Amino acid sequence: MADTKREREIERKYDADASGGLPDLRGVAGVADVIDKGVADLDAVYYDTADQRLARASITLRRRTGGKDAGWHLKLPVPELEGARDEVHAPLSDGVPRALIGLVRSRVREADLTPVVRLRSARDLRHLVDADGALLAEVSVDGVRADRLDGITTTASWTEIEVELAPNGDPGLLDKVEKKLRKAGVRRSASKSKLARALADTGAALDPAAVPELTPGTAGAQVLAYLRVQRDALLALDPAVRQDLPDSVHQMRVATRRTRSAFKTYGKLLDRTVTDPIGEELKWLAAELGVDRDREVLTERLTAALADIPRTLLLGPVRGRLRLWAVAGRAGSRRKTVAVLDSKRYLALLDSLDALLADPPLRKAASTPAAQALPVAVLKDYDRLATRVGHALALDPGTDRDLAMHEARKAAKRARYAGEAATPALGKPAAGFTKRMKAVQKVLGDHQDSVVAREALRDLAIQAHAAGETVFVWGLLYGREEAVAATRERELVGVWERASRPKARAALGG
């Protein structure tokens, strides 16, 4: 990714008449001046697969010449922020750059990327600046001509106004500009992008991908809707993981776990002979992704623990030792993660998830009303958790209890995801159940983190001893982690008592 540049784009588009008239935007609060930057001729060719997989996902990939940012541009949607897209730039080249192909690999798989539409625009650009001359936003009036490149000669033309927020700008400015535009009779465009409009106006747009029609309100419809959300999360997080964006690996692992959990919890609704093999592949993917994530979290925990020790007790080169340990664990793992996402095994997994959702292996029970079938499955997972918690609490502190607590943690996570999947159908009772299971999972998760931390501290102590260093600090931290584990074990009693109240389960229908 060294030859690419990433930035966040936040913009809004508006329909304009051929005159492209703009109101005086100096009247917008905070805007001191509007600077005319002249007209630039832009020429962009957009690429996609024959079945428009990128366009279906609101992703655009183009090669553009002209203007200040000529090159390859890949725009990825940011669903949680209106009008936002993450734009990745790469230098001009004849073919699609490999770095950008990687970022859309989860969408296109092995399909070819070919030219779909050519857009030529005359961009009349203006800068909105504040009293100090700092850029607030760019406003352009674009006269656009679109030509299909799939062998069918069809063209379309229109004029639009585009308002793009400056980097790190205040999104509230967009609302102020829009208010001014609306007073002048200018309205938001129905199309989210130039490409979307070009495809629609030239007749090149394909119908949305078909979704199996299931009877609303059935258990099968609810579970498949949940699985579709998780599949979509995997696809959306793939480029984020490749770019090493914060929390992306964790969120991708969560999507795999939620999918596997749903397969198991709702096994009476979906044919396990189909879902079990996919579940095993999801387990493989989560494990591969965990190489980076688990070491990162553990390093942060140990670094924070060292920061809490008084300087008078920091004997030996402990910080240097921890850095060596962290670097040794991470060496090469980043490349390995990307290799996994480029592997045929991973792409086959994505294909299998698509196939399952396109032709779901529903069992007869899937036609049962959700309000009747889902509570049974959720409460079954609760019973499984109750058995494991009881077993763990009955054991004496030590290795056996640690292992039992870890098994209870996995059961708590599954129960939580079961409630989460059922919440849209069951409402507040399921949401409350999910919240209580999350509390149990958190205590058990903190306990397991202390177990893993102690194993790492033991390794660090061994390495330090072999190098002739004092192991005092590592022993001190080990003892603190033992105390943390004991505290979590005591906390579990109260958390479980609140989570296991019969009244809460009765509200689910159990």
Side-chain angles (χ1 to χ4, degrees):
M1 303 298 294
D3 58 344
T4 63
K5 180 180 69 173
R6 174 180 169 272
E7 58 187 34
R8 176 66 53 87
E9 170 192 87
I10 303 177
E11 66 179 20
R12 294 181 186 177
K13 295 182 182 295
Y14 302 86
D15 292 329
D17 58 31
S19 69
L22 277 175
D24 185 0
L25 297 177
R26 291 179 182 85
V28 173
V31 176
D33 198 6
V34 179
I35 302 174
D36 190 340
K37 305 299 289 186
V39 179
D41 292 323
L42 310 177
D43 191 342
V45 175
Y46 287 76
Y47 286 68
D48 206 337
T49 61
D51 53 358
Q52 296 180 8
R53 299 181 192 181
L54 298 185
R56 292 178 192 273
S58 299
I59 295 171
T60 61
L61 173 63
R62 72 187 179 203
R63 182 186 188 275
R64 189 164 79 179
T65 57
K68 64 180 181 180
D69 60 350
W72 286 90
H73 305 155
L74 172 66
K75 297 189 179 186
L76 303 163
V78 182
E80 65 273 15
L81 187 59
E82 181 191 7
R85 291 187 290 180
D86 282 335
E87 186 169 337
V88 184
H89 293 202
L92 277 176
S93 60
D94 292 336
V96 183
R98 290 182 60 184
L100 299 190
I101 291 176
L103 294 180
V104 296
R105 178 74 70 195
S106 66
R107 302 289 183 177
V108 305
R109 317 286 164 82
E110 301 293 343
D112 291 331
L113 288 165
T114 58
V116 177
V117 171
R118 181 184 185 186
L119 298 184
R120 283 169 284 186
S121 306
R123 167 160 291 182
D124 188 357
L125 182 64
R126 297 163 177 82
H127 280 182
L128 307 187
V129 298
D130 64 15
D132 296 324
L135 180 64
L136 300 173
E138 292 186 344
V139 179
S140 64
V141 179
D142 297 343
V144 185
R145 172 190 168 95
D147 296 278
R148 287 177 64 168
L149 300 177
D150 58 358
I152 299 176
T153 304
T154 308
T155 64
S157 60
W158 67 91
T159 302
E160 70 178 32
I161 297 171
E162 184 176 292
V163 183
E164 181 176 345
L165 195 66
N168 302 314
D170 177 11
L173 176 67
L174 295 179
D175 293 329
K176 297 173 184 177
V177 172
E178 179 164 313
K179 184 177 180 180
K180 189 76 171 179
L181 292 175
R182 288 180 64 86
K183 285 183 178 180
V186 178
R187 295 294 181 265
R188 286 265 200 114
S189 174
S191 299
K192 293 183 178 180
S193 67
K194 284 184 174 66
L195 174 62
R197 180 161 184 173
L199 292 174
D201 288 3
T202 63
L206 300 179
D207 292 332
V211 176
E213 292 187 10
L214 301 174
T215 304
T218 61
Q222 178 57 49
V223 172
L224 283 173
Y226 181 78
L227 290 173
R228 192 168 289 109
V229 169
Q230 307 315 316
R231 188 277 314 272
D232 292 346
L234 278 175
L235 297 180
L237 286 163
D238 179 291
V241 171
R242 292 172 185 270
Q243 296 175 89
D244 202 17
L245 299 186
D247 205 39
S248 58
V249 169
H250 170 64
Q251 292 301 327
M252 195 174 197
R253 292 178 79 192
V254 168
T256 67
R257 289 167 176 163
R258 283 173 169 155
T259 304
R260 288 183 63 224
S261 180
F263 286 165
K264 294 177 180 179
T265 297
Y266 300 107
K268 291 188 178 298
L269 310 180
L270 298 167
D271 187 348
R272 293 287 296 267
T273 63
V274 176
T275 60
D276 280 355
I278 300 175
E280 286 301 309
E281 291 303 280
L282 288 166
K283 183 178 181 180
W284 160 78
L285 176 59
E288 293 289 345
L289 293 172
V291 173
D292 270 352
R293 173 65 183 175
D294 292 344
R295 179 60 68 111
E296 178 185 347
V297 171
L298 183 53
T299 299
E300 291 174 355
R301 183 184 184 98
L302 298 182
T303 300
L306 278 178
D308 286 340
I309 294 180
R311 293 185 63 180
T312 54
L313 298 181
L314 286 175
L315 307 179
V318 288
R319 288 195 173 91
R321 173 62 55 191
L322 180 58
R323 281 194 296 270
L324 286 173
W325 176 85
V327 170
R330 188 175 172 83
S333 60
R334 182 79 212 138
R335 290 190 298 274
K336 181 180 178 183
T337 297
V338 174
V340 167
L341 298 184
D342 281 335
S343 69
K344 292 186 179 297
R345 184 174 181 178
Y346 169 67
L347 298 180
L349 167 58
L350 297 182
D351 286 342
S352 66
L353 287 170
D354 288 348
L356 180 144
L357 292 170
D359 185 17
L362 297 175
R363 301 180 66 184
K364 184 177 181 180
S367 61
T368 305
Q372 177 182 334
L374 300 189
V376 175
V378 172
L379 292 173
K380 185 177 180 180
D381 276 351
Y382 166 83
D383 290 340
R384 180 170 171 268
L385 171 60
T387 299
R388 293 193 180 185
V389 170
H391 174 62
L393 293 177
L395 295 171
D396 293 330
T399 301
D400 288 344
R401 175 180 268 200
D402 289 345
L403 292 172
M405 295 276 280
H406 183 43
E407 290 302 311
R409 171 180 175 253
K410 291 189 284 186
K413 187 180 298 184
R414 178 165 156 181
R416 170 192 170 187
Y417 292 156
E420 180 183 85
T423 295
L426 305 183
K428 288 184 178 180
F433 175 86
T434 302
K435 184 177 180 179
R436 288 186 290 274
M437 295 303 102
K438 184 177 180 180
V440 175
Q441 178 193 333
K442 184 178 186 308
V443 173
L444 291 167
D446 288 346
H447 181 276
Q448 177 61 16
D449 288 346
S450 76
V451 172
V452 174
R454 276 178 276 158
E455 293 174 354
L457 288 166
R458 183 176 181 277
D459 289 342
L460 282 161
I462 292 172
Q463 293 173 20
H465 178 72
E469 302 163 6
T470 176
V471 299
F472 171 78
V473 172
W474 308 120
L476 177 61
L477 292 180
Y478 190 99
R480 289 188 175 186
E481 289 291 355
E482 282 187 318
V484 168
T487 299
R488 297 298 173 265
E489 290 171 11
R490 291 192 297 271
E491 288 177 353
L492 178 61
V493 176
V495 172
W496 177 245
E497 182 180 347
R498 292 188 292 274
S500 59
R501 288 170 182 165
K503 183 179 180 179
R505 299 197 303 283
L508 282 172

